[in-house]
Amino acid sequence: MRVLITGGAGFLGSHLCDRFLVEGHTVIAMDNLITGSMDNIVHLIGHDRFTFVEHNVINYLYVQGSLDAVLHFASPASPNDYLEHPIHTLKVGSMGTLNAIGLAKAKGACFFLASTSEVYGDPQVNPQPEGYWGHVNPIGPRGVYDEAKRFAEAMTMAYHRHHGLDTRIIRIFNTYGPRMRLNDGRVVPNFIHQALTGQPLTVYGDGSQTRSFQYCSDLVDGVYKLLLSGESNPVNIGNPNEMTILEFAQVILQLTGSKSEIKHIKPPHERNADDPMVRRPDITKAKQLLDWEPKVDLADGLEKAIAYSRSKLL
Ligand code: UDP
């Protein structure tokens, strides 16, 4: 296959570039480097099946030659990032998706949308199956991401139904691993960074809110299997191992051997308005349809993420 990966220099995008190259495919990575980084793909520069194009997908998109798949992974994904770039986040999820779908249609390629568990908002159902419609505040600070992704899903389904476009929608739950920016503001890199530098681990509120963390290689496997399947309806990909944020802070202290204290604080800004109180994927569909389930234990994955952070701090 010859595939375009938007957001190809980002955390997940760059791991996808690696995987598609290993599988023998040709990869064009596109990124405007707002939250992505050349550091994530520098090892691929010069590879004969890899090309990098610096471009913002909210602008007209064109790629020469044939394409078999367009994987649209471009978007700020950390609450800090989408609060800092609210308009970009809305544009990349709407105009960027439209451009990426248009390109897929023009090339007769499969369009693969990176959607998110954020489409479920602050869920009133736990775990969240794909059939749950969500509980989202459209005008809250997280609305720029949640609603852009919901719009992107709606557009993907419309192109599928109206034009018969071959499409996929993955709903990605909290994912971590090497190449997440140490300062990206999400809880995994934050706690690891704080633990390694002897700073207090900043638990927002009482820490009773829950998340379920999946290692990046499991996500990449899920993407690959979903692309090869013919499934056009959304599929959750995440690890159902749910824990409170306070428990997660204790896990990080244990794995890093850090003497940092745990500090309960009010989040630094409005980022935590509408912070989901629970999140856990129902992965029944992925298991049945894709024969996929997460393989990497939290401790094993975190060891790798911690080693990455250590290397960046040297
Ligand atoms: N969180 C925290 N301390 C931090 C960063 C995040 O307690 O330093 C909490 C945050 O309030 C949320 C959870 O951790 O409940 C996960 O936040 P993250 O930013 O990783 O992403 P989200 O899952 O909210 O998109």
Side-chain angles (χ1 to χ4, degrees):
M1 286 188 285
R2 187 165 187 259
V3 304
L4 171 69
I5 301 176
T6 76
F11 161 50
L12 294 180
S14 64
H15 285 295
L16 286 170
C17 291
D18 289 344
R19 174 67 184 265
F20 278 86
L21 289 169
V22 164
E23 298 285 347
H25 306 299
T26 297
V27 174
I28 303 159
M30 189 173 276
D31 208 300
N32 65 350
L33 303 174
I34 283 194
T35 57
S37 165
M38 288 306 288
D39 287 351
N40 293 336
I41 51 167
V42 71
H43 59 288
L44 300 177
I45 303 298
H47 189 298
D48 60 356
R49 283 183 280 110
F50 180 77
T51 314
F52 174 71
V53 180
E54 188 171 340
H55 182 72
N56 188 338
V57 293
I58 71 172
N59 298 318
Y60 178 74
L61 200 56
Y62 189 70
V63 168
Q64 273 193 332
S66 66
L67 282 176
D68 300 291
V70 174
L71 291 99
H72 185 37
F73 276 71
S75 177
S78 157
N80 278 17
D81 289 335
Y82 51 75
L83 291 181
E84 198 172 319
H85 307 287
I87 311 292
H88 273 300
T89 303
L90 279 160
K91 284 184 177 172
V92 75
S94 54
M95 295 148 71
T97 302
L98 183 60
N99 288 335
I101 288 187
L103 179 64
K105 181 167 170 278
K107 301 286 183 183
C110 175
F111 177 71
F112 188 114
L113 175 68
S115 186
T116 165
S117 55
E118 282 284 331
V119 299
Y120 302 123
D122 184 8
Q124 294 159 310
V125 169
N126 196 38
Q128 296 82 53
E130 289 85 351
Y132 177 54
W133 290 354
H135 181 228
V136 173
N137 174 5
I139 57 164
R142 299 176 89 105
V144 295
Y145 185 63
D146 302 9
E147 295 296 0
K149 289 292 188 182
R150 288 168 68 97
F151 175 81
E153 287 198 8
M155 184 139 56
T156 303
M157 286 313 291
Y159 270 75
H160 174 69
R161 294 197 182 105
H162 192 69
H163 287 302
L165 189 69
D166 188 24
T167 55
R168 310 281 184 273
I169 299 174
I170 188 172
R171 291 189 180 147
I172 302 172
F173 284 67
N174 292 68
T175 307
Y176 69 92
R179 303 186 192 160
M180 280 182 109
R181 291 185 347 261
L182 267 51
N183 62 350
D184 107 342
R186 282 184 279 189
V187 70
V188 179
N190 252 20
F191 283 1
I192 293 176
H193 186 224
Q194 290 163 343
L196 293 180
T197 54
Q199 300 171 63
L201 271 57
T202 53
V203 169
Y204 297 160
D206 67 4
S208 64
Q209 66 273 36
T210 70
R211 292 294 186 273
S212 314
F213 298 102
Q214 109 178 295
Y215 188 63
C216 52
S217 61
D218 283 331
L219 180 273
V220 168
D221 277 347
V223 170
Y224 201 73
K225 286 188 158 179
L226 180 57
L227 178 64
L228 298 185
S229 82
E231 180 62 31
S232 52
N233 287 307
V235 180
N236 289 337
I237 296 288
N239 192 320
N241 176 19
E242 183 181 13
M243 66 183 65
T244 68
I245 293 302
L246 185 56
E247 284 166 347
F248 183 64
Q250 284 149 356
V251 170
I252 295 293
L253 289 182
Q254 201 189 348
L255 291 176
T256 53
S258 168
K259 301 264 181 300
S260 288
E261 55 170 337
I262 291 178
K263 201 167 166 185
H264 292 268
I265 63 164
K266 211 169 148 307
H269 39 65
E270 59 176 353
R271 106 191 262 295
N272 268 37
D274 309 324
D275 191 12
M277 277 311 293
V278 292
R279 182 179 292 153
R280 175 185 183 177
D282 179 332
I283 57 166
T284 312
K285 190 171 174 185
K287 276 185 183 163
Q288 286 173 352
L289 200 78
L290 309 176
D291 191 24
W292 174 91
E293 62 183 326
K295 294 195 184 94
V296 181
D297 270 357
L298 185 66
D300 294 343
L302 283 174
E303 291 292 356
K304 294 195 175 83
I306 291 166
Y308 174 80
S309 295
R310 273 193 216 282
S311 74
K312 287 286 165 185
L313 286 171
L314 289 177

